[in-house]
Amino acid sequence: MAKTREIKRRMTSITNTRQITSAMKMVSASKLRRAQVFVGAGEQYRNKLRQVIAQVAQASGQIFDHPLLDQREVKKAGFVIFASDKGLAGGYNSNLLNFALDQVQAAEARGAAIGIMAVGRKAGDFFKKRGYTIDLAALETADVPEISDSNELTNHIIEAYGTGYYDEVTVIYQQFKSAMSQTPVAVKVLPFDTDEMSGEQKDAPYTDDYIFEPNAAEILEALLPMYLSNQLYAALVDAKVGEHGARMTAMTAATDNATDLLATLEITYNRARQTAITNEITEIVAGADALG
């Protein structure tokens, strides 16, 4: 009987765990549906912004002196790393953070000092344990991000790059493919390269003739931070949607595993119970025979 009680306690514990993982799966699925509509929603807007920036730089024929266009020797590299605040998301964080560590170490090998801007508690904890300086820690980000969620990060990067604290800024995040697939990517966001942007416009069938009001420099002054903010927002959305998808997938697998384990334990419990009953009947019959 002791064995059956032990199995029953284990079955109760697994049932409770399954209820938790099932609830977490449903919550993550709900968050995924709400956030997924924003994936790629701003891509056309960002592409148009990029096109306008390139056309302004190309059509004006000027050499612009803007802090975000300043290309210099990389003495300090800044890395914006989007991870999650919580775990239970399968390999989402470990895959991303190991990829990010490779990128950071590659920058160190080139002789650059490192500054980490951690979005999500897991990123901050990971790099802090390895002795890196955390310049900015953005915790408890919204489950369904809005453009305002990237403003603090954008302002910090613009100020840090403008003052020469960073010579290069790279964003690392999990690019969303599907609920079951995310790919870690590294995208250099600063300095802007207007020559590269202008090169993308050379194959255009025609080029508009612009009249700038007040002037091209002031237009770029407004457009460049806007474009940076949208790049960061897109990375944040991909990271959050990927997190919800990874957690939903992990909790689905955990719930299914718990169900399979309960089925196995149910068979084991019934066999143990049947064995115990058989033994009791055998003992009763043996006792009756001894008295008879």
Side-chain angles (χ1 to χ4, degrees):
M1 294 300 293
K3 184 178 180 181
T4 56
R5 283 197 297 269
E6 181 183 342
I7 295 173
K8 199 66 177 176
R9 279 197 298 268
R10 191 177 176 195
M11 290 175 65
T12 301
S13 174
I14 292 172
T15 300
N16 293 337
T17 301
R18 184 177 64 173
Q19 289 176 339
I20 294 171
T21 58
S22 180
M24 292 181 67
K25 177 186 73 174
M26 290 186 289
V27 169
S28 294
S30 174
K31 291 177 179 178
L32 176 63
R33 283 194 296 271
R34 287 189 290 128
Q36 193 170 358
V37 298
F38 295 101
V39 174
E43 185 175 357
Q44 290 184 340
Y45 178 69
R46 286 189 299 278
N47 289 341
K48 192 62 180 178
L49 264 180
R50 184 181 179 89
Q51 180 184 345
V52 170
I53 291 171
Q55 288 176 337
V56 170
Q58 184 179 21
S60 65
Q62 301 177 25
I63 298 176
F64 296 100
D65 182 19
H66 191 283
L68 301 185
L69 299 175
D70 187 15
Q71 300 197 30
R72 49 187 182 257
E73 181 186 357
V74 181
K75 296 180 180 178
K76 184 163 187 176
F79 287 88
V80 186
I81 301 169
F82 291 89
S84 70
D85 290 313
K86 302 173 184 176
L88 298 177
Y92 176 85
N93 285 306
S94 60
N95 293 339
L96 171 74
L97 295 173
N98 288 328
F99 174 81
L101 183 61
D102 290 341
Q103 298 294 315
V104 168
Q105 289 175 339
E108 286 182 308
R110 295 192 295 269
I114 302 298
I116 301 294
M117 290 159 278
V119 181
R121 194 179 305 276
K122 293 293 183 180
D125 292 345
F126 180 87
F127 282 96
K128 190 180 295 182
K129 287 178 181 177
R130 285 158 179 79
Y132 290 96
T133 302
I134 308 299
D135 294 333
L136 177 70
L139 307 178
E140 303 296 336
T141 52
D143 289 323
V144 182
E146 297 181 358
I147 189 67
S148 57
D149 294 327
S150 64
N151 287 344
E152 178 186 357
L153 187 57
T154 302
N155 294 336
H156 174 80
I157 292 173
I158 290 174
E159 181 180 355
Y161 191 85
T163 58
Y165 185 74
Y166 297 134
D167 302 304
E168 181 181 88
V169 178
T170 301
V171 174
I172 299 176
Y173 64 99
Q174 288 275 28
Q175 189 175 50
F176 180 75
K177 301 292 185 182
S178 69
M180 298 180 67
S181 175
Q182 303 87 31
T183 304
V185 295
V187 179
K188 189 177 83 169
V189 294
L190 286 179
F192 287 118
D193 189 349
T194 55
D195 290 336
E196 179 185 339
M197 292 180 178
S198 298
E200 296 173 5
Q201 303 300 315
K202 289 181 180 179
D203 296 331
Y206 62 87
T207 301
D208 293 329
D209 185 15
Y210 288 95
I211 297 174
F212 299 109
E213 179 62 38
N215 57 63
E218 290 190 34
I219 293 173
L220 280 182
E221 180 78 29
L223 290 180
L224 291 176
M226 193 183 301
Y227 181 62
L228 175 61
S229 178
N230 274 270
Q231 281 185 300
L232 295 173
Y233 174 65
L236 177 59
V237 169
D238 263 38
K240 272 297 177 183
V241 174
E243 177 191 342
H244 298 324
R247 184 168 291 113
M248 183 188 73
T249 302
M251 292 301 100
T252 299
T255 302
D256 292 344
N257 289 339
T259 300
D260 293 342
L261 186 55
L262 278 173
T264 301
L265 287 175
E266 182 76 29
I267 294 172
T268 304
Y269 174 77
N270 288 337
R271 286 176 177 170
R273 185 166 173 267
Q274 190 174 36
T275 300
I277 292 172
T278 302
N279 289 338
E280 288 179 1
I281 293 174
T282 301
E283 290 173 1
I284 292 171
V285 171
D289 289 344
L291 291 173

